[in-house]
Amino acid sequence: MTTPEPPAPRTVVPIEHSLLIAEAFDQAQVTELRHSVTSCAHAAGLAGQQLDDFVLAVNELITNAVRHGGGQGRLRLWRRAGELVCEVADHGHGISAQRLGDRARPAPDTAGGWGLWLARELSDTMAVETGEAGTIVRITTALAARHVKQPADG
């Protein structure tokens, strides 16, 4: 009688990210979408000033998509390896290289031009892909490690 081979170890493939929101939007959904982002970001672990900063950055991106990107856009929000990621895409005509390269704070009396600057300042990272078919802006913010409460020995 032969002994069967032990079963092969199971391979567990971790999910790289957890999608929290995937929504198309236009001007009518901006406020509701901002509230959804706030709720999901808070549930993911953001709080206080970090939560406020991230939500303001996202709000600037969705407002830019409506104003400059064809009147509508798509937002995706997800969690991955210690960070929260938000991506806003539109179908505008892109952002000029000069505009993207200008990282200076807008003058206080400037009526526009604050959106990308604020999003960059209020997030940990910001990446922009832009061209004639539209723009995708992705921002991230770090999530604090959650402390798991251990049961008391007793």
Side-chain angles (χ1 to χ4, degrees), residues 33 41 90 124 127:
L33 187 55
D90 66 45
D124 291 341

Side-chain angles (χ1 to χ4, degrees), residues 1-148:
M1 182 172 213
T2 62
T3 58
E5 288 186 35
R10 294 179 58 185
T11 302
V12 177
V13 179
I15 297 173
E16 289 200 24
H17 57 74
S18 174
L19 187 62
L20 302 172
I21 300 174
E23 294 285 332
F25 63 89
D26 62 18
Q27 179 64 45
Q29 285 89 31
V30 168
T31 300
E32 181 181 335
L33 187 55
R34 184 178 61 246
H35 290 302
S36 295
V37 168
T38 302
S39 295
C40 287
H42 184 262
L46 294 185
Q49 190 65 51
Q50 186 185 23
L51 174 64
D52 293 345
D53 288 351
F54 188 74
V55 171
L56 178 55
V58 171
N59 187 69
E60 291 298 324
L61 296 178
I62 60 180
T63 301
N64 277 356
V66 170
R67 287 187 182 158
H68 309 293
Q72 57 190 7
R74 290 183 334 271
L75 178 139
R76 292 187 322 134
L77 179 72
W78 68 92
R79 228 168 45 183
R80 73 172 177 208
E83 64 185 359
L84 193 58
V85 183
C86 184
E87 179 181 275
V88 176
D90 66 45
H91 296 292
H93 298 293
I95 304 169
S96 72
Q98 178 184 356
R99 183 90 177 116
L100 279 180
D102 184 6
R103 295 182 182 252
R105 179 182 177 152
D109 59 347
T110 303
W114 287 87
L116 286 177
W117 184 84
L118 277 170
R120 185 179 292 114
E121 290 295 309
L122 297 174
S123 58
D124 291 341
T125 67
M126 184 172 96
V128 180
E129 297 174 31
T130 191
E132 288 298 314
T135 299
I136 300 170
V137 181
R138 183 177 295 150
I139 60 173
T140 67
T141 191
L143 293 171
R146 293 190 179 204
H147 296 287
V148 178

